[in-house]
Structure formats: C-alpha cells, structure tokens
C-alpha cells in the first residue's frame, strides 16, 4: 500500500507546516500553563518536597499541611514499631502572626518546628547542618532570603511572633510559601510560639525515613491498617494531596481546565483550516481516486492519517520547545514544575486537537466529486 | 459484444430559472475491443454522457447496463465497488499526486483493490512499460512532461485491468506528438486487451484513429460511423 498520507505530508510540508505549528504551540501553551500552575502551587507542598522523609503520619483526612491537627504520641510508637522504618522525627506547624518593626504592620507566617540534629529530615534539601545548629538557640528562626524585605527585619534582627520575641539567625532559599511566609524554628521554639503555649502545636506530624529496600507505600499501608486517630501517606502522595487541594480550593484548577478548552478550540480551528486548505489543493487528485473506485471512507482515512502525523510532529516540536522553555524558566527562577501524568495529559489533548481537526477537515472531501473532473 | 448499453438517458440542469436539457432520451451501445469516440462541440452533453455511462453521475431518467449490471439501480457503495473492479479513467487534467513517483501513482489504486505490495509493483511496472515509461518510473510529476504525465495516468487506469476504460479529452492538453502517442496507446489497449475504450473528445486528430465515432449535438447522437477494418500498423 502506497503511504499516500505520509508521502504527501513530507512532499508538501510547506502546506502542512502551519498546522504542525498550530498543534505545537497549542502543546506549548498547555504544557507551560500546567508547569506554571504546578510550580506555583508546588509551594504548598514545599515542606514535603524539600524533605527526605519517605512517610508522613498526620491527622486522618488531612488535605494540606496547614489543615492538619495535632496527633497523639501513639503514632510515633506505631512508626517506631514498623520493621521498614529507620528513623522517626516529629514536625510541628504553627500558623502565627508576625510583628516586625513599627510601620511594617502584621503578617501571617507559618512556623515550622523541625529537628535541629544535622541529619534532620524536614527541609533537608534546603538547610545545612550548620543552619540547623543555629536553630538550637531558643527563639532563633530562619526565613527565605526572598521574604526578608516583606518581613522588614534583616538577619540578626528581632521581631514578635504571637507576642514572643524571635531573632532571625539566617536565611535559606527554596522555602517560600503560598499566601504567607515560612519561618523555620526548632521544635521547642515552635511549641513555645503556639498560641496554646507549652506542649501543643497547631498541627503536628511524625515523619520517617525508611530502611534500605523498604517500600514507602507498604509501610504507609501497614501503619494505616492499625491506625486510630492518625493516618500515614507516602511523601509523594501527601504532596499531591496538598497541590491538588490548593489547585481546586483556589479555582486555579478550573482555570487550567478553562484555558485548556480555549487552547483546544483555537488550536483545532487553526489546524483544521490549514488541513482543509491542503485537502482542497489536492481535491482533483482525490476525485480521480474516487472515480477509480476508491471509496470516500478510504479517502477520509488518508486525511485522518495526515491529521495524526501532524499531531505527532506537533507533539514532538511542542515537547522540545517546552523542554527548552522549562529550562529557561528554571534558570530565571520562574516557578515551574512538571510531572509525567501532566505531560501525558497534555499529549492526549494535543493529539485530540489534531484528530478533531482532521475530522472537521474531512468535509472538504465532499468536493472530491469525480463528475466535476468531466466538465 | 456490447458491454455498455444506455437506454433513453435524460439529463438536465437548472440554472436560475432556466432549465437546460443536456441529454434528450439518448440510447446507445458500446462494444468491447474497440476505441469508441464520442465527438461533438463543447456543451453538446458528451461529458455528461460519459459521467453517466461510467457510474459517476446519476441520470434524471434512463438506465445504463454496464457489464450486464444495471448501474443506476445500485447504491453508492456498490457503484464505488463496481468502478474499483471494472473501470479505468483518464482525464483531461492528469490529476497525479505531486508526492508520488510514476511507479507509485500506478501502484496506488491496486492497494485499494487489495493487491499486495510486491504484486502491485510488478503490475505497475508492466503497465508503465506498456505506455513506454519504464525509464521514467522513478520520477515525480513535476519532473515529467505533459505527455508523460498523461501516459502515467493511462498506466494508472490500465493497471487495474479494467474492462471499461473512459477517457475525457485525453489529448486536448497535449502537443501533436504526445497526442498521437496517447491515441495509439488507447487504441492498442482496446485491441490487445479487449477493453471497451470510450473516449470523449472534440480533438479532430482522434476521429481518424477511432474504430467508431459517435457524433453528438444538442443531447442526441446524430451520426454513428464505424471505421473500415484496418491493420494495426496502418495508422
């Protein structure tokens, strides 16, 4: 069988190029908006993604870190008793009010109480051992470098959190939060800063690293099988919960879907118009084939095959362009992040754009009436 | 043997308030193994007649028996099937796919007939050889002359081994030499393969080469001339 669709596409690539570009740019738009949304909302899971804990245990049904509740010490015991767990560490989260120097007003801050030992799990990828050591000083805190101006206090300066005096002992990079400022302190400091005072934080978790070869999903399942008043998640699962909660809580998720629909429609219109033009240009040849007895169904398949090839080419071009843009965005510290399911979803939408365009363009074949060739 | 029998064909077109009768109760029979020419001035209805006889356009009234099959009682799908199995077409415009080589143009219809690649290639080579284009088989239409393109189009029609071959003004876009080659080829196909070759043209060069000339005017055939039997090389 002669590969008419593919050979025509290659030979008349100039004619089909606009369609490929339309598909490619649709793909880029879809991927980039997804990457931006994941990048921005990924900040809601920064506690999880910047830590090397593999299993998180918290209040049952917790959708995002700040929405948890304190849990009892029996969760700690359950983790310690699990054969897959290597080490367990508590993590406290306190929503608090920041008062800087006069004239800067109040700010909402999120205080993370973390273990200060050098191999502490929380924020392991953004805090060095020496920074952790600095936090052992009571009421010492570390903030993101980018948040200093917002807080109105330089390193070494003092401010009030929930009425207690704290001192900024250092800065880190990569702990920015969404909708507030992350402040890192020791577990003791965080508990002191809690409005309840004394023993309780607003939210408490236990996190664990695992022994070599232990499967986080299995450990979480074992903990959950006997859990009462607490629940366990693998780190990626807990991070996903946080991101998707915020995406849909804020309407950003709907925004993504809405824009995806707009991109789909625009992409499909441009692609189908280009395809129609290309088919109209070959309509006499198609009519000849039809005269020779090739059914309209077979001719439609040629058009749909062309659409599919346009989709594949656009997908490859758009994917490469997106990879380049992602690298550029990361270089410029634009918050972008991507995951495989999102890549796959975008790829499906791009192929759908191409195929819907093909289906729309098939109509032009009605003009391939062989009787027209005889006039 | 008559392979095409048309009976009382009527066809008209409406343009605005005007109704033009193109075929007015036309009947004819066409025999196998001959080059039959329908000649006449433009607008006399000869192309319409060809499209009705070949199963491309439905008449207002009348019937066509093609290879003992009542064409216009069939549905669209079986008409497509009939054309795929039994007919070849050569048009005034060559209508070749720009992306395909001469060999691929000729192989193309065979793929849709379910002929395997290897057999299709072999049949296409034979067909191209028959129109004298073997040395040009690897070229794209843009690299072929007008006459060569029309010979590729003939090979594309021929490769199906059709019993009916329809040609619409096959020489009008060609110079004298190429026109002559095309006429000779069509006639040879009729005589050697026993194909029914029905050709529509106002090209006077064709008239002297046809085995039979049907002269048409105002939607009717007013003259039916059969050539004296002559030897193949007499032209």
């Amino acid at each position: 069988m002669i590969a008419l669709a593919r050979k025509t596409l290659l030979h008349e690539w100039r004619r089909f190029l606009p369609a490929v570009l339309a598909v490619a740019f649709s793909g880029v738009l879809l991927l980039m908006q997804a990457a931006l949304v994941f990048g921005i909302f990924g900040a809601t899971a920064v506690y999880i993604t910047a830590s090397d804990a593999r299993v998180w245990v918290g209040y049952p049904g917790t959708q995002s870190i700040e929405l948890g509740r304190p849990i009892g010490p029996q969760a700690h015991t359950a983790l310690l008793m699990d054969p897959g767990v290597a080490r367990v560490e508590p993590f406290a989260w306190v929503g608090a009010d920041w008062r800087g120097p006069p004239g800067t007003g109040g700010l909402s801050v999120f205080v993370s109480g973390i273990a200060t030992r050098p191999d502490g799990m929380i924020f392991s990828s953004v805090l060095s051992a020496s920074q952790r050591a600095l936090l052992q000083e009571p009421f010492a805190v570390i903030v993101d470098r980018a948040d200093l101006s917002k807080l109105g206090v330089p390193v070494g300066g003092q401010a009030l959190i929930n009425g207690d005096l704290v001192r900024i002992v250092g800065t880190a990079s990569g702990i920015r939060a969404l909708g507030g400022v992350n402040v890192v302190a020791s577990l003791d400091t965080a508990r002191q800063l809690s409005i309840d005072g004394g023993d309780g934080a607003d939210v408490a978790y236990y996190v664990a690293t695992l022994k070599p070869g232990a499967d986080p999903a299995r450990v979480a399942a074992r903990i959950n099988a006997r859990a009462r008043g607490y629940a366990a998640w693998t780190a990626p699962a807990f991070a996903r919960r946080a991101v998707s909660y915020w995406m849909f809580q804020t309407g950003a998720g709907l925004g993504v879907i809405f824009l995806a629909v707009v991109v789909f429609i625009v992409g499909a219109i441009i692609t189908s118009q280009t395809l129609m033009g290309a088919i109209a240009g070959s309509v006499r040849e198609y009519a000849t084939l039809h005269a020779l007895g090739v059914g309209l169904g077979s001719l439609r398949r040629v058009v749909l095959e062309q659409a599919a090839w346009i989709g594949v080419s656009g997908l490859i071009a758009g994917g490469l362009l997106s990879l380049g843009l992602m690298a550029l965005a990361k270089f410029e510290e634009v918050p972008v992040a991507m995951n495989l399911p999102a890549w796959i979803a975008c790829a499906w939408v791009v192929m759908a754009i191409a195929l819907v365009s093909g289906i729309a363009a098939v109509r032009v074949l009605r003009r391939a009436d062989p009787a027209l060739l005889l006039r | 043997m008559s392979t095409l029998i048309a009976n009382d064909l009527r066809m008209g077109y409406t343009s605005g308030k005007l109704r033009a009768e193109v075929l007015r109760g036309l009947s004819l029979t066409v025999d196998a193994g001959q080059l039959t020419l329908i000649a006449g001035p433009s607008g006399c209805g000869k192309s319409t007649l060809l499209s009705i006889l070949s199963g491309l356009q439905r008449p207002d009234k009348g019937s066509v028996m093609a290879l003992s099959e009542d064409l216009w009682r069939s549905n669209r799908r079986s008409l497509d099937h009939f054309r795929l199995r039994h007919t070849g077409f050569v048009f005034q415009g060559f209508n070749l796919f720009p992306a395909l080589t001469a060999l691929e143009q000729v192989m193309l219809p065979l793929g849709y007939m379910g002929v395997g690649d290897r057999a299709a290639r072999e049949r296409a080579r034979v067909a191209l050889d028959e129109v004298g284009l073997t040395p040009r088989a690897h070229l794209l239409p843009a690299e072929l002359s007008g006459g060569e393109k029309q010979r590729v189009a003939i090979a594309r029609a021929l490769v199906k081994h059709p019993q009916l071959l329809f040609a619409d003004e096959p020489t009008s876009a060609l110079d004298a030499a190429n026109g002559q080659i095309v006429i000779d080829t069509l006639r040879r196909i009729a005589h050697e393969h026993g194909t029914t070759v029905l050709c529509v043209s106002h090209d006077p060069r064709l008239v002297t080469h046809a085995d039979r000339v049907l002269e048409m005017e105002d939607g009717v055939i007013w003259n039916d001339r059969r050539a004296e039997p002559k030897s193949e090389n007499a032209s």
Side-chain angles (χ1 to χ4, degrees):
Chain A
M1 194 78 183
I2 298 296
L4 179 62
R6 192 159 42 84
K7 282 179 187 277
T8 301
L9 212 56
L10 288 175
H11 186 259
E12 295 173 44
W13 62 271
R14 280 184 192 84
R15 204 179 240 179
F16 291 97
L17 185 64
V20 174
L21 289 180
V23 170
F25 283 121
S26 305
V28 169
L29 281 175
L30 288 169
L31 278 165
M32 283 299 111
Q33 67 143 346
L36 279 172
V37 165
F38 283 121
I40 291 165
F41 288 90
T44 60
V46 69
Y47 312 93
I48 307 157
T49 50
S51 306
D52 59 7
R54 308 284 302 277
V55 171
W56 283 67
V57 174
Y59 194 78
T62 299
Q63 306 225 51
S64 181
I65 287 272
E66 70 286 354
L67 299 172
R69 295 278 180 278
I71 53 171
Q74 65 273 27
H76 193 178
T77 318
L79 273 170
L80 286 173
M81 285 172 62
D82 189 277
V85 169
R87 201 159 61 74
V88 182
E89 196 177 283
F91 168 60
W93 188 95
V94 179
D97 178 50
W98 172 281
R99 291 286 158 88
T104 55
L107 266 177
S108 285
V109 296
F110 313 131
V111 181
S112 297
I114 66 167
T116 53
R117 49 187 287 178
D119 58 352
M121 294 173 221
I122 301 292
F123 292 134
S124 59
S125 64
V126 287
L127 291 181
S128 66
S130 57
Q131 284 174 310
R132 287 175 186 277
L134 289 174
L135 291 177
Q136 284 167 5
E137 178 192 323
F139 296 100
V141 299
I142 288 176
V143 298
D144 195 287
R145 198 171 301 129
D147 287 330
L148 274 180
S149 60
K150 210 191 296 178
L151 295 169
V153 181
V155 174
Q158 292 185 315
L160 293 173
I161 291 181
N162 284 353
D164 287 320
L165 199 61
V166 298
R167 194 166 74 84
I168 298 181
V169 294
T171 59
S173 176
I175 55 172
R176 296 185 75 176
L178 191 70
V181 175
N182 269 334
V183 174
V184 186
S186 69
L187 277 161
D188 284 339
T189 303
R191 286 182 187 129
Q192 297 286 335
L193 294 177
S194 165
I195 294 245
D196 297 344
D199 61 334
D202 288 0
V203 177
Y205 296 89
Y206 290 101
V207 298
T209 49
L210 303 185
K211 288 176 185 158
D215 175 16
R218 284 192 169 178
V219 172
R222 275 201 296 269
I223 304 271
N224 283 330
R226 275 170 293 161
R228 299 188 84 180
Y230 58 90
W233 301 272
T234 65
F238 198 37
R240 266 200 306 277
R241 279 174 81 87
V243 173
S244 53
Y245 170 79
W246 274 88
M247 289 240 288
F248 291 97
Q249 164 79 12
T250 58
L254 277 180
V256 169
I257 292 167
F258 181 76
L259 194 56
V261 171
V262 173
V263 169
F264 186 95
I265 292 170
V266 173
I269 288 174
I270 297 174
T271 310
S272 63
Q273 290 295 317
T274 313
L275 256 178
M276 282 181 198
I279 297 161
S282 302
V283 79
R284 295 183 73 84
E285 287 77 36
Y286 284 120
T288 305
L289 273 188
H290 191 36
L292 288 170
V294 177
L296 279 177
S298 302
L299 298 181
R300 274 189 209 112
R301 271 197 289 282
V302 172
V303 172
L304 289 180
E305 192 189 326
Q306 282 175 342
W309 283 112
I310 286 172
V312 170
S313 326
L315 201 58
I316 293 170
L320 291 175
L321 196 56
S322 299
L323 282 178
L325 286 173
M326 291 274 285
L328 181 68
K330 285 204 166 133
F331 181 73
E332 296 287 339
E333 296 197 343
V334 176
V336 287
M338 208 51 194
N339 52 52
L340 188 63
W343 278 102
I344 292 172
C346 287
W348 274 112
V349 176
V350 167
M351 283 310 288
I353 288 175
L355 289 177
V356 165
S357 309
I359 290 167
V362 153
R363 284 180 303 148
V364 179
L365 284 177
R366 276 191 226 143
R367 284 191 237 153
D369 177 5
L372 293 177
L373 299 173
L374 292 169
R375 295 198 187 136
Chain B
M1 189 189 81
S2 294
T3 44
L4 270 175
I5 303 164
N7 191 28
D8 193 26
L9 291 179
R10 288 172 191 275
M11 188 72 182
Y13 297 104
T14 307
S15 163
K17 284 181 182 170
L18 289 177
R19 171 96 186 150
E21 294 300 326
V22 179
L23 300 182
R24 305 159 184 262
L26 187 150
S27 302
L28 87 164
T29 59
V30 185
D31 297 336
Q34 289 189 346
L35 169 58
T36 304
L37 176 70
I38 302 174
S42 57
C44 71
K46 56 190 191 299
S47 288
T48 302
L49 176 61
L50 187 78
S51 67
I52 291 172
L53 293 176
S54 59
L56 294 180
Q57 194 175 17
R58 184 177 292 277
D60 293 339
K61 278 206 180 88
S63 67
V64 175
M65 296 296 288
L67 307 173
S68 311
E69 197 164 317
D70 193 341
L71 274 194
W72 294 111
R73 289 195 143 190
S74 319
N75 59 25
R76 198 181 174 92
R77 187 180 285 265
S78 37
L79 266 178
D80 283 350
H81 189 73
F82 179 86
R83 292 203 308 272
L84 188 64
R85 293 287 145 197
H86 303 298
T87 69
F89 283 90
V90 178
F91 297 103
Q92 180 180 353
F94 322 117
N95 306 328
L96 302 178
F97 285 95
L100 303 186
T101 65
L103 184 70
E104 290 165 339
Q105 309 274 3
V106 179
M107 286 172 68
L108 186 61
L110 294 180
Y112 293 100
M113 292 171 77
V115 178
D117 266 0
R118 187 185 294 233
R121 192 170 295 273
E122 198 41 51
R123 275 171 71 170
R125 286 224 170 88
V126 172
L128 280 172
D129 191 46
E130 193 157 352
V131 297
L133 276 184
T134 301
R136 317 286 278 165
H138 60 287
L139 297 181
L140 295 173
E143 300 163 310
L144 297 171
S145 73
E148 288 170 335
K149 282 185 216 174
Q150 192 59 300
R151 278 144 72 194
V152 173
I154 293 173
R156 175 172 65 183
L158 193 61
V159 77
K160 297 166 69 189
H161 302 157
Q163 286 144 287
L164 306 171
L165 179 58
F166 298 95
D168 180 54
E169 306 280 4
T171 58
S172 61
L174 303 178
D175 60 24
N178 278 306
Q180 189 64 52
I181 294 171
V182 166
I183 298 159
D184 288 345
T185 307
L186 289 174
R187 200 156 76 107
R188 204 180 61 239
I189 290 166
H191 293 184
E192 288 180 6
H193 300 280
T195 309
T196 307
V197 182
L198 183 63
C199 182
V200 154
S201 181
H202 62 264
D203 185 347
R205 294 173 297 179
L206 268 169
V207 174
T208 53
H209 291 82
D211 298 307
R212 182 182 170 202
V213 179
L214 299 165
E215 286 181 85
M216 215 179 143
E217 203 160 337
D218 291 333
V220 289
I221 289 167
W222 62 273
N223 193 10
D224 182 349
R225 250 178 326 116
R226 285 173 199 264
E228 297 295 314
K230 54 186 173 182
S231 81
E232 272 310 296
N233 300 325
S235 63

